[in-house]
Amino acid sequence: MNRLRAIAGPLLATATLVAATLGVATPAAASTTATLDVATPAAATLDVATPAAAAPAGLPGMDVSSYQGNVNWSAAWNNGARFAYVKATEGTYYTNPSFAQQYNGSYTVGMIRGSYHFARPDTTTGAAQANYFVDHGGGWSKDGRTLPGALDIEYNPYGATCYGLSQSAMRTWIASFVNQYQARTGRWATIYTTTDWWTTCTGNYSGFAATNPLWLARYAGTVGALPAGWSTYSFWQWASSGTFPGDQNVWNGTLDRLRVLACNGPC
């Protein structure tokens, strides 16, 4: 999800805290953002093969974070976007300052939208982060326009790929998050990941496939191998830029089927 760009806000908040602690000046926001405003990370990081020459089959959509700021949602709608995922939170320390404009704006133009949480398994428990997410924009309502919240669990932009957790501990952390999210909202969270990260950091665990929709990130002409247990994907993030602001996605189905996911059945 344009990971280095998306973490500009959290890093600036961290820098401010450190500066206050050490008694030094706070780094300028423009400077911090400029440092992180880099090209798409290396292919190995994003499961990139040959980039897709055109949008794959499916219902077009997008995901955005604070990096996109105020989005022109009418333009995105007119260009064909019918759903959006919006970053709400990270860890238990960060909320997207553009969340209200992005989350409400996408809804206002007619999109089906949801929010996502960037996981930090190295900081607090899965349950604590699920609660933080729900309390800061990650809830769900059966209005036919709100997707279940998504857990963005992937490469660590701050350090060790698997956040210092063993495969067993990572599986436990994810279970803690999705179980608490389900307890709070009645929905199973969508899981955003890559097949490479999932294999490396969970041991290619198949136990969530029966309940949690898969949102796969792979910048390539084909979706490729899926993580164990999932026979198909629900969402595919196939490019980091394109027609819409933010990352480019497709829903693996029709608009009517997306409404079924939003409603958790008939509305």
Side-chain angles (χ1 to χ4, degrees):
M1 296 188 184
N2 283 325
R3 197 54 49 219
L4 292 178
R5 295 173 176 178
I7 64 173
L11 283 183
L12 180 58
T14 302
T16 303
L17 176 61
V18 172
T21 302
L22 298 178
V24 298
T26 302
S31 174
T32 302
T33 303
T35 301
L36 294 168
D37 185 11
V38 297
T40 301
T45 302
L46 290 175
D47 277 9
V48 179
T50 303
L59 187 71
M62 54 197 281
D63 68 81
V64 294
S65 67
S66 62
Y67 182 78
Q68 281 73 42
N70 288 342
V71 172
N72 185 336
W73 290 105
S74 294
W77 174 268
N78 291 337
N79 284 329
R82 292 297 179 264
F83 71 89
Y85 261 113
V86 177
K87 181 174 183 178
T89 51
E90 180 172 312
T92 53
Y93 54 81
Y94 173 79
T95 58
N96 174 9
S98 299
F99 179 76
Q101 193 276 343
Q102 295 173 347
Y103 192 71
N104 296 330
S106 54
Y107 183 92
T108 298
V109 299
M111 292 187 194
I112 297 175
R113 50 77 164 115
S115 55
Y116 76 87
H117 172 82
F118 187 78
R120 287 296 307 276
D122 55 334
T123 59
T124 50
T125 66
Q129 292 191 32
N131 285 329
Y132 188 80
F133 179 41
V134 173
D135 292 341
H136 296 87
W140 175 77
S141 60
K142 192 171 183 174
D143 57 7
R145 300 274 301 282
T146 304
L147 294 169
L151 173 64
D152 179 353
I153 183 80
E154 53 163 308
Y155 307 100
N156 180 7
Y158 305 104
T161 297
C162 300
Y163 301 86
L165 273 63
S166 67
Q167 292 176 341
S168 175
M170 184 63 74
R171 295 192 295 266
T172 298
W173 192 96
I174 295 170
S176 174
F177 183 100
V178 300
N179 288 339
Q180 182 64 11
Y181 186 81
Q182 197 277 336
R184 290 286 306 273
T185 67
R187 297 302 308 271
W188 293 103
T190 298
I191 293 178
Y192 169 98
T193 194
T194 73
T195 300
D196 175 73
W197 184 91
W198 192 261
T199 301
T200 300
C201 297
T202 75
N204 209 17
Y205 181 64
S206 63
F208 300 112
T211 51
N212 300 83
L214 175 64
W215 179 6
L216 192 73
R218 189 170 192 258
Y219 298 170
T222 62
V223 73
L226 302 180
W230 281 282
S231 60
T232 189
Y233 62 92
S234 294
F235 301 94
W236 174 14
Q237 185 190 87
W238 61 274
S240 62
S241 62
T243 301
F244 314 127
D247 300 310
Q248 312 298 290
N249 294 269
V250 291
W251 157 252
N252 189 18
T254 64
L255 181 60
D256 285 344
R257 295 306 301 171
L258 185 61
R259 290 195 181 104
V260 170
L261 176 64
C263 291
N264 199 25
C267 285

